[in-house]
Amino acid sequence: LDTALAAADEQGETPIVLLVDGRLAGLLCAVDAIRPEAAETLAALRAAGLTRMAMLTGDRAAVAARVARELGPFEAVVAEQL
């Protein structure tokens, strides 16, 4: 279980552990979808000359890192801000 939880964290997934009568019954990993317009919006901002951007989010650091890899580059990524 520890290995699976660590792998989910590394991939920016949110693990959901399922227990039945206190025993492990399964593990689900959820991933939030990035809005399709996010990449378009960031591309438009970059095309307009905005080159220094930061991403602030309430997500866990691993989730923020995954999103930043997909949408970046960002000058800074700041997670867990809630």
Side-chain angles (χ1 to χ4, degrees):
L1 179 61
D2 289 338
T3 302
L5 291 173
D9 191 54
E10 285 178 21
Q11 295 174 24
E13 300 173 343
T14 300
I16 302 163
V17 178
L18 304 172
L19 301 175
V20 175
D21 295 327
R23 302 182 84 185
L24 180 64
L27 175 68
L28 301 173
C29 293
V31 177
D32 288 335
I34 297 172
R35 292 182 182 191
E37 64 271 15
E40 296 168 12
T41 301
L42 291 170
L45 291 169
R46 289 183 179 107
L50 199 70
T51 58
R52 297 179 65 195
M53 287 189 248
M55 184 177 89
L56 286 86
T57 180
D59 285 323
R60 292 178 306 110
V63 174
R66 178 185 58 81
V67 173
R69 281 192 304 273
E70 293 184 34
L71 295 177
F74 292 99
E75 188 168 310
V77 176
V78 183
E80 301 174 13
Q81 293 303 298
L82 293 179

